[in-house]
Structure formats: C-alpha cells, structure tokens
Amino acid sequence: MGRKKEPLVLRVPGQVGIYVCGVTVYDYCHIGHARVMVVFDVVVRYLRASGLHVTYVRNFTDIDDKIIQRASALDLPVQVLTEQFINAFHEDMQALGVARADVEPKATEHLAEMQGMIHTLLEKGLAYPGGGDIFYAVERFPAYGQLSGKNVADLQAGSRVEVDGHKNNPLDFVLWKRAKAGEPQWPSPWGAGRPGWHIECSAMGCKYLGDSFDIHGGGMDLLFPHHENEIAQTEGSTGRPWVRYWLHNGFVNVLNEGGEREKMSKSLGNFFTIRDLLSQYPGEVVRLFILSSHYRSPLDFSQELLEAAGHGMDRLYSALSGAKKRLQSLPDALEVLPEQALLGGWGDDVESFLAAMDDDFNTPQAIAALFEMAKKINRSAVSDAEATEADALGQGVGLLRHLAALLGLLGDDPDHYFHRQAAQDMPSAEIEQLIQKRDAARLARDFQAADAIRQQLLEAGIVLQDSKEGTTWRRG
RNA sequence: GGCCGGGUGGCGAAGUGGCCUAACGCGGAGGUCUGCAAAACCUUUAUUUCGUGGGUUCAAAUCCCACCCCGGCCUCCA
C-alpha cells in the first residue's frame, strides 16, 4: 500500500491468502497475460516452498461488454464463447507450466455475493441509483486514490472522458448495469441487469479469502482504476482494511522492426498470443524469458530475445544432460534442502538464489545462481574427477533442479527437452538408425560417409554431439 | 495538463551509499577438446564507466536538484 517494498508480515502467521485478477475470456491469451500468470505462479510456488500455507484465488471474468460484443459478432451464445476461451486458457497455462489456482471463480457464478455487496453500499449511502444503473459515490470514500497515488481533484481536472449523465461525479463508476435487450441479465432488487466489472473481484475475493487478506496481484494497468475501485467497494462495504500487500507486474512492450519500443496492442498489430509462441518454442523457454527480468519492470518482447532465452534454456538442460550421462541417470529434484547442502560446495549458490527470491522475488538474480550451478556441473565434467565426486555431482543436480522447480523450470528430462518435436519431420527411430550407420562409418574411419550422414541430419534440423559416452542428438 | 515507472557493455538484465576495477544470460573474438564438428571448458568482450549537467559525502550507478529522452496510467486493457 505504501508503493514500496515492505517486509511481508502476515495476518495469520504461516497462512497467506492471495488473489490475482484473471483474464476476461473472449479471446486467446497473449504474452502480457502469460506474464501475470507466470509471475504469480512463481510467487505462489515460492511462498509455499517457504513453508507457508497458501490459498490462491484467480478469477475468470466471464461477463462484460467485450464478451457480449464478441459473442454477437461470432453469433455464439456468451456461455459457449467463454467456455471455449476458459479451456484455451487452461491449455496455454499448462504449456507454460502454470499451476491451477486453488479457486478459479467465475463472475457469473457469484451474482448473489456481488448483489449483497452492492446492497450494503446502497444502505451505507456509498452508492446511488441513476438512470437504472447503480453507481459508487467516490467522494464518499476519503481514501480513494491512495493506492495509485492519484489526487481526486487532479483526476477531475484532467478528465476528458465522456461522462455518463447519470453520474454525480465523473469518477463514479458503475456497480450494476441495467439490462439491455438481447444481453445476458440477472434479476436484482434494482431491476434486471448485470454487474459492473470491478465488483466481481471484491465479492469473490471476500468470499474465498475473507474480508481481509494478504496479497492482491495483477497487471500494472489494473492499478487504476480497477484496484482503486475494488478497494473503495470492499472497504466501503465492510468498513475494514482489505488487502495488506498489492503486487503489480510491469507491462510487456514489443520492439518493432525499427527497434522501437511500443505497447503491445491489437490495433498496432504487434500482438503475440501464447499459442503463436508455443508453436516455435517450448513453454519453458517463454517462462525463462519472462522470469529473466524483474516482475515490476517493463518487459520488451521480440523474437530475438525469445531466441536468446531459448539458448539459455538449452545451456541449462545441457548441464543436466551431461550429468545424466555421467551418472547413468538424472537425479530428481531434492524434496527438501538438506542442511549440509549449505555447507558443501553448493552452499553459496543456494544461498544467493534464496536471498534473491526473498528480496521481492528477484528472479533474474535467482536465475543467475542457476547458471552458476550449471557451470559448476559442466566444469566438473571437464575436470573429470571421476566416481569420487559422483555424490557431489548428484547432489548438485538435485539442488539445481530443486531451486529451478521453484521457478517452474528444469522439470523435464533433458533428452525429452532436446528431442521435442522430433517426430514431425523425422522419427526418432530413423535418427537413431542414421547415427548407428554413422558410428560404423566413423569406426571404419570413413569420415566422408560419416560427415554426409551428419550433414543429412543437420538439414533435417538435427545436431549431433559426439562424446566418450556416445553420440547424442538434439534439435538445432 | 496530472500521476507513475525507467534510461547500466553489441543485445537482454541484476545491482539502489564502500565487497562495483558493475552479477548472470545472449552474441562476438581467441584457445583447449575433436578425425573434423557440436556441446562443454578456459581467456577475452563497460578500465575518467552506469542518460546529461551540477551538488551532498571520506566514499555515488546508487542520495539531492535541474535538464534531456523513452514507456505507461489518467477510458476497456494483464
């Protein structure tokens, strides 16, 4: 609330309630959505790993103007449209490794709660009817503007918004909209209609997390007016402080062909859906890309940057791959961080990872620790210290995977990671067969034949790597 | 106009008073390994330098002031 970093002091020790504004389901999700979801997925994972009991609520807005517009444009019932995009959302999130929230409430299933809150606001004189709608009277809530640092007087002066004639004050916002013909509507004490956008988060947050809870998150753009309005509604109706900590992630910009930064938007045509990206890169690469800058900073997106993230991801998996070869198997992520891990050769890295995450989820710095560990793992392969160090290596890999898992990374098997999409133009069996042929040729020192096979595979997008343990391949 | 962020190497990105002669990644250069490669490893890639100009301090990328740029919000938006 102070718009600065503060130590996390929980309402109930050991327990955290967190609410994140989800998506409006009328279209496929883009990178901006991916960012919020990945960021808060990491927040939740980390809080849990820190021993806290977390209740995570992330809503779906399944009724609003844009949904109605889109549904009528496609000539689909609203519910069919929203269900379709809720499913698409879940598919995208799965690909990105974003876990389900504990509760994923839909606005249309919480009409009673919203109406209850509106009723209270009317009773308390914080809301008023006008032209069939119900509005919130902003000037009756003195703290309005506190979260976003806005001054109500300034806002009015600068306002160039076309004001609804029924509003007492241009800043007032709608709680309940009267029904229009042909639109979805619900009965209410104030006539049939549908809820305003902001009220759903207030009502559902209170329902699942209580009248007060710890963390509320969302994109930067929601800070004003959405979250400001949420506070006004909720605290106005309950009379109690609502959310202790607000977390807002920065926006995603797109670098255009001229290298200039611009906001990602549909009108500019610089729009990338998660699906677009997933057709080119594994979800994990998108994830690493997102987490390689701090969640509060703006994030510039471009194909080149995503590709660079892909190379970084390859590097991490290469380390696992090498360790797997030497150990004959890949150690799983350690379930618990052993005390002695902090004393061994990995202690500094573990500590710096955790310190980074403890400092407002500094994922770029945490990732740096991951790369340090990968380097150490690779280095031990080169120095070839043999079996005596197998335990240390195994522990290092286990620790690396444990820490990476807190970011939702390195959960895959390296072979699976490098062999992805392989079946498309050349089945794995065929690749293996060619490798065997090439090995035979190499053994016979017929390098011309061997290189021809390697070239053939390269043209199919397969890169070979020879080593003492044998030849492996990966997608180039 | 009001209010927020931000400007760090070829690129991305940490660092917000001394350990910064600036982490980490991508990219580049040279080398080791290899039949040759690839991957990996080693060395190297900001040395009056952290947008510009002032100031505070024993000490500033980090604090203060001014200025210049960039982005966002103020209307639906993650």
Side-chain angles (χ1 to χ4, degrees):
Chain A
M1 203 60 187
R3 288 192 285 141
K4 54 180 201 267
K5 277 197 252 185
E6 290 175 17
L8 181 66
V9 180
L10 298 171
R11 228 168 41 86
V12 179
Q15 307 234 27
V16 190
I18 173 166
Y19 186 97
V20 171
C21 288
V23 293
T24 302
V25 280
Y26 72 102
D27 205 347
Y28 291 112
C29 291
H30 58 250
I31 322 169
H33 298 112
R35 188 177 193 193
V36 197
M37 297 309 154
V38 167
V39 161
F40 287 101
D41 183 62
V42 167
V43 167
V44 169
R45 279 171 197 257
Y46 192 69
L47 293 175
R48 287 198 172 127
S50 307
L52 301 171
H53 182 267
V54 180
T55 307
Y56 181 24
V57 180
R58 184 179 63 205
N59 71 298
F60 286 113
T61 299
D62 61 347
I63 180 67
D64 95 320
D65 292 348
K66 272 184 278 189
I67 293 174
I68 293 170
Q69 264 175 31
R70 180 62 59 93
S72 90
L74 296 174
D75 202 22
L76 282 174
V78 162
Q79 212 177 340
V80 171
L81 180 81
T82 56
E83 256 171 43
Q84 179 190 334
F85 285 111
I86 286 172
N87 290 336
F89 173 86
H90 282 137
E91 285 166 20
D92 290 346
M93 289 310 123
Q94 193 173 13
L96 292 175
V98 172
R100 292 277 187 127
D102 299 302
V103 190
E104 302 187 337
K106 295 175 195 152
T108 54
E109 291 172 2
H110 296 81
L111 267 294
E113 288 81 357
M114 293 188 240
Q115 291 185 0
M117 194 171 264
I118 296 171
H119 181 74
T120 307
L121 290 171
L122 280 165
E123 266 188 343
K124 290 196 168 184
L126 290 165
Y128 61 92
D133 297 339
I134 307 291
F135 295 102
Y136 189 98
V138 163
E139 75 272 349
R140 300 289 314 276
F141 187 74
Y144 195 80
Q146 200 183 317
L147 175 70
S148 52
K150 304 272 186 205
N151 178 311
V152 174
D154 291 344
L155 284 171
Q156 280 175 284
S159 177
R160 51 192 166 74
V161 188
E162 203 176 311
V163 177
D164 185 315
H166 298 291
K167 285 186 184 178
N168 292 345
N169 177 319
L171 290 176
D172 291 350
F173 55 92
V174 69
L175 295 168
W176 187 259
K177 293 183 178 185
R178 72 177 182 281
K180 288 185 196 146
E183 290 188 359
Q185 49 189 274
W186 289 263
S188 87
W190 322 287
R194 58 188 168 95
W197 174 41
H198 313 292
I199 194 74
E200 65 178 79
C201 293
S202 294
M204 297 191 289
C206 288
K207 175 168 181 184
Y208 295 105
L209 297 171
D211 287 352
S212 290
F213 56 90
D214 301 288
I215 300 175
H216 189 132
M220 207 65 172
D221 53 325
L222 297 181
L223 206 158
F224 188 91
H226 183 54
H227 289 160
E228 201 70 70
N229 292 352
E230 284 185 37
I231 293 171
Q233 291 164 342
T234 314
E235 299 194 353
S237 77
T238 65
R240 306 180 49 193
W242 189 34
V243 170
R244 295 167 75 91
Y245 303 99
W246 288 88
L247 266 47
H248 291 103
N249 64 276
F251 242 74
V252 176
N253 299 313
V254 173
L255 299 178
N256 65 22
E257 278 158 25
E260 308 205 303
R261 182 186 324 233
E262 45 187 32
K263 181 185 170 180
M264 186 169 67
S265 78
K266 286 185 176 171
S267 55
L268 288 167
N270 57 2
F271 206 76
F272 294 85
T273 66
I274 295 173
R275 280 162 190 238
D276 290 338
L277 303 184
L278 291 177
S279 66
Q280 302 173 62
Y281 298 93
E284 204 173 348
V285 168
V286 178
R287 202 174 165 100
L288 180 67
F289 167 69
I290 288 171
L291 295 175
S292 61
S293 77
H294 188 91
Y295 79 89
R296 278 187 277 110
S297 308
L299 175 63
D300 293 335
F301 172 84
S302 73
Q303 294 287 337
E304 291 69 37
L305 294 174
L306 197 59
E307 202 179 313
H311 290 159
M313 200 71 242
D314 288 352
R315 181 174 170 75
L316 257 15
Y317 270 113
S318 274
L320 292 190
S321 175
K324 183 182 178 185
K325 267 189 234 164
R326 284 189 292 144
L327 296 169
Q328 321 294 315
S329 70
L330 185 69
D332 287 328
L334 295 178
E335 288 292 324
V336 187
L337 287 179
E339 284 296 315
Q340 70 266 29
L342 297 174
L343 303 172
W346 307 99
D348 288 350
D349 300 310
V350 174
E351 253 176 278
S352 84
F353 180 98
L354 297 176
M357 289 300 285
D358 285 338
D359 182 14
D360 198 23
F361 309 100
N362 192 331
T363 53
Q365 213 163 53
I367 288 168
L370 260 31
F371 278 105
E372 294 284 1
M373 294 176 82
K375 179 174 285 256
K376 281 187 194 171
I377 288 168
N378 287 333
R379 209 178 271 168
S380 78
V382 168
S383 68
D384 198 22
E386 299 296 336
T388 47
E389 284 191 14
D391 285 353
L393 176 62
Q395 189 182 48
V397 174
L399 285 168
L400 171 61
R401 297 192 85 199
H402 173 90
L403 296 176
L406 302 183
L407 304 178
L409 299 173
L410 294 184
D412 203 354
D413 179 276
D415 293 328
H416 184 261
Y417 174 84
F418 285 119
H419 293 180
R420 73 195 115 102
Q421 308 162 352
Q424 281 178 9
D425 25 277
M426 193 181 282
S428 302
E430 193 180 329
I431 295 168
E432 303 288 355
Q433 222 169 16
L434 285 167
I435 289 175
Q436 276 181 23
K437 259 175 80 180
R438 174 170 169 273
D439 279 345
R442 288 177 71 211
L443 210 64
R445 303 198 67 78
D446 181 358
F447 295 120
Q448 214 166 12
D451 289 350
I453 294 172
R454 185 166 65 194
Q455 185 60 29
Q456 180 192 348
L457 284 165
L458 188 63
E459 277 157 22
I462 310 293
V463 177
L464 296 187
Q465 297 178 184
D466 299 327
S467 76
K468 268 182 279 183
E469 290 86 358
T471 300
T472 56
W473 59 276
R474 58 172 63 176
R475 285 272 135 185

